[in-house]
Amino acid sequence: MPDTVAPNLVAAVSEARHWQRLMEMGAIGGFTDADGNEGVNRACLTELDRQARRLLISWAGQAGLAVTIDALGNLFLRHEGTVPGLAPVVTGSHMDSQPQGGRFDGIWGVLAAFEAVQALRDAGVSTRRPIEVVAWTNEEGGRYAPGCMGSMAYAGYAPPTTWDAVTDKDGIRFGDALREHLAAEADLTRRPLGVVEGSAPFAYVEAHIEQGPRLEAEGLDIGVVTGIQGSRWFLVEISGKSDHAGTTPLGLRQDAVQDMLRAITALNALMRDPTDVLRFTVAHIEVEPNTSNSVASKARFTIDFRHPDNAVLQARGNAIAGVIQSALATCTATVTERFHAIPTDFAPLVPDAVEAAARAQGLRAIRMPSGAFHDAQFIHPLCPTGMIFVPCRAGISHHPAEYAEPAALAAGTRVLAQVLADLANREEAI
Ligand code: HGY
Ligand code: MN
Ligand code: MN
């Protein structure tokens, strides 16, 4: 990795153009919340998602990049290298957002990758290897659980039809929404799904806002991400019996809400961690019939459990179902695991390239793990993988107040550009 800065490449990254594109993207599904924050609600495989993709595709066409999509709708923008047949360097993130999301989570990584590739081309920096900018389908898992469906299918982690029967809050099946989406993008060139003929990427780099407070609090510019903690998602459905709230004695009830509370209380005890490293969240609850004067027959809730140590992730995650069953008083419960991402430690190649580029550009960088999961977690087994974090305001994310400064995003994009130029000119992954 040349320790010199590629000055014309760094200069070719345009902060203004990059910010303008981010704001234009943020207007698609954009909204202003009660506090005046500019948020985004752009769920995967919706008209808004397709609008955002068409905007990116139009920019890619103007920049001379070849556009393809695969059977999961993963979108690729390809910059050709000078040596035919070499494995590409892949870089990108996701374009879908949380329902109360921000203008930077995911989409910044896609637009930073696009800006970096455009800067390479503007600066006349040739690369032996092709570079592919990617937008993965359904990273968030907000509309359809779990997240990372596009990258999981691409990496062969699960068959592409795994999630066809998953429904959204309106009962629309993922398989049907995907079919509709692919039909709407039938004009785009289709590519085989995943790693075909052994063409695994040479390396994968994902730029992302930190979604935590550390870089800002410590006055740092770049997070050199060393790995991603593990995540496990479960759906719990408690079944009881609906009854009249006024006439049914408590002793005769099979109250699904009361048993849900018992189960969550027992899970809180299982997940207790005085070191506050473990993450346990129940944040999506549904009750049926959901009226104030009928005892609940059903209670559904989600579990998002995370930990950086796989031994803890497996031990406590595997105990969840038993703890729930033991906590029930009158109802029955089903516990379904929907997502299981083991903790990831990135091989040194990409983190070292990120740290060297940050240093060469005079930026303050620190090595750190990611608390959020990312598509990089599923690409990691295929090739050397790494991530670049930039600071976001107060670490806020998955909220309309999510914000990052234009200069901070441009700095992250310049590091990404230099890392791509470095990796795309390497002979071997050493
Ligand atoms: O939930 C996550 O960690 C990611 O931001 N989707
Ligand atoms: Mn994200
Ligand atoms: Mn997110």
Side-chain angles (χ1 to χ4, degrees), residues 74 136-137 148-157 374-376 378-379:
N74 296 315
W136 301 109
T137 296
C148 295
M149 286 184 186
S151 52
M152 282 199 278
Y154 171 89
Y157 187 84
H374 300 282
D375 295 297
F378 296 99
I379 307 305

Side-chain angles (χ1 to χ4, degrees), residues 93-94 96 104-107 139-140 206-209 211 372-375 387 397-398 402:
S93 190
H94 60 95
D96 62 309
F104 305 90
D105 176 0
I107 186 64
E139 186 276 346
E140 289 290 359
E206 181 164 354
H208 206 287
I209 56 170
Q211 298 178 297
F373 64 71
H374 300 282
D375 295 297
M387 295 186 71
S397 185
H398 287 195
E402 180 184 282

